[in-house]
């Protein structure tokens, strides 16, 4: 059945290491998004992609990078330049960018020590 | 400025109570979304509306365009409704969501 998946659910890394979070969707959606959520705070947009081979920075893109080589996949790399990488990361997709319902993945909880 | 404000921030209710969560936004939205985040972290979309009212089971979402205000109501609340409820707005010419800070609801048996 169709959906959006993220892996792994929990991820632990040492400070200074880059880490890549996976996001895959089989909904045939053009747009995909990465959000960060910190305890007690709202969702903040890191990057989004409206179409394959295109992506735009969101509100907190510093220290992150993405690629969109396939429609189904939108991996997020948390680089060592990200000062406070420990957070809950959510991926979402929608049929197109803009005022369309977003479908969320289950999230990846990243802990960096 | 494309802000979305929610209230209350926290809400505790007894099972069976009628619950209202409020959301206010700036002018010119193309749609208002209500989302539910479960304790495990997963988020589901409950409603997307640009006018009037929508109902799904015990959940009702309304929007007043003139007052720039939306409400999410839960009738006959149940402990399984305990979650964080988030409103988000999409604005014309902006390809992203603007999120409220969320309302944490705890329904006690």
């Amino acid at each position: 059945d169709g959906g959006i998946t993220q892996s792994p659910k929990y991820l632990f890394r040492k400070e200074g290491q880059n880490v890549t979070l996976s996001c895959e969707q089989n909904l045939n959606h053009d747009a995909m998004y990465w959000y960060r959520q910190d305890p007690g705070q709202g969702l903040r947009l890191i990057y989004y992609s409206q179409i394959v081979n295109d992506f735009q920075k969101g509100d907190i893109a510093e220290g992150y990078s993405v690629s969109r080589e396939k429609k189904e996949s939108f991996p997020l790399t948390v680089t060592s330049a990200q000062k406070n990488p420990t957070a809950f990361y959510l991926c979402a997709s929608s049929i197109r960018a803009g005022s369309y319902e977003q479908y969320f993945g289950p999230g990846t909880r990243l802990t960096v020590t | 400025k494309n802000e979305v404000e929610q209230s209350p921030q926290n809400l505790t209710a007894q099972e069976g109570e009628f619950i209202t969560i409020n959301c206010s936004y700036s002018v010119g939205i193309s749609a208002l979304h209500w989302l539910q985040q479960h304790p495990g972290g997963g988020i589901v979309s409950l409603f997307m509306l640009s006018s009037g009212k929508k109902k799904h089971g015990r959940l009702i979402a309304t929007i007043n365009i003139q007052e720039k205000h939306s409400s999410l109501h839960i009738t006959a609340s149940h402990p399984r409704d305990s979650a964080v409820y988030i409103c988000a707005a999409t604005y014309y010419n902006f390809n992203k969501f603007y999120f409220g800070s969320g309302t944490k609801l705890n329904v006690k048996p």
Side-chain angles (χ1 to χ4, degrees), chain B residues 5-26:
Chain B
E5 295 184 0
Q6 262 184 264
S7 63
Q9 195 169 5
N10 293 284
L11 184 55
T12 299
Q14 288 298 132
E15 183 173 356
E17 285 184 1
F18 181 84
I19 289 162
T20 296
I21 299 170
N22 297 299
C23 178
S24 60
Y25 56 86
S26 304

Side-chain angles (χ1 to χ4, degrees), chain B residues 64-108:
Chain B
N64 184 317
I65 302 297
Q66 286 74 30
E67 294 185 5
K68 300 188 289 294
H69 181 268
S70 176
S71 293
L72 177 69
H73 305 287
I74 305 175
T75 62
S77 60
H78 190 276
R80 64 174 175 266
D81 297 324
S82 297
V84 176
Y85 293 84
I86 303 166
C87 75
T90 46
Y91 294 88
Y92 295 108
N93 302 321
F94 289 93
N95 290 325
K96 65 176 188 175
F97 280 31
Y98 291 83
F99 293 93
S101 56
T103 296
K104 187 173 183 179
L105 172 65
N106 182 24
V107 181
K108 295 183 175 180

Side-chain angles (χ1 to χ4, degrees), chain B residues 18-72:
Chain B
F18 181 84
I19 289 162
T20 296
I21 299 170
N22 297 299
C23 178
S24 60
Y25 56 86
S26 304
V27 296
I29 66 163
S30 52
L32 193 289
H33 306 254
W34 282 101
L35 311 170
Q36 180 191 53
Q37 185 170 31
H38 294 285
I43 293 177
V44 295
S45 177
L46 297 175
F47 296 104
M48 183 177 81
L49 65 166
S50 55
S51 65
K53 176 179 172 179
K54 287 191 176 181
K55 185 175 189 290
H56 185 259
R58 294 180 295 106
L59 273 58
I60 303 166
T62 63
I63 189 166
N64 184 317
I65 302 297
Q66 286 74 30
E67 294 185 5
K68 300 188 289 294
H69 181 268
S70 176
S71 293
L72 177 69

Side-chain angles (χ1 to χ4, degrees), chain A residues 9-113:
Chain A
K9 191 168 178 65
Y10 299 94
L11 190 53
F12 298 88
R13 281 291 183 271
K14 294 289 187 186
E15 198 173 312
Q17 292 179 334
N18 290 355
V19 59
T20 297
L21 280 59
S22 166
C23 178
E24 303 278 332
Q25 54 96 1
N26 61 4
L27 299 167
N28 200 32
H29 286 173
D30 282 332
M32 296 186 75
Y33 308 81
W34 273 106
Y35 297 99
R36 171 182 172 139
Q37 187 177 41
D38 293 286
Q41 295 192 31
L43 294 165
R44 293 186 289 170
L45 181 65
I46 304 172
Y47 269 97
Y48 69 101
S49 168
Q50 297 185 72
I51 201 164
V52 176
N53 294 321
D54 177 74
F55 49 83
Q56 286 83 39
K57 292 182 179 179
D59 302 315
I60 55 164
E62 187 175 348
Y64 300 97
S65 66
V66 293
S67 63
R68 186 87 187 276
E69 296 175 2
K70 296 188 299 181
K71 189 174 186 177
E72 302 80 21
S73 179
F74 190 41
L76 172 75
T77 296
V78 184
T79 75
S80 56
Q82 168 50 233
K83 300 298 181 194
N84 298 296
T86 295
F88 185 57
Y89 291 88
L90 284 153
C91 179
S93 70
S94 61
I95 190 162
R96 281 186 289 281
S99 299
Y100 298 93
E101 183 179 356
Q102 289 193 6
Y103 294 77
F104 288 81
T108 292
R109 196 165 299 276
L110 173 65
T111 302
V112 177
T113 57

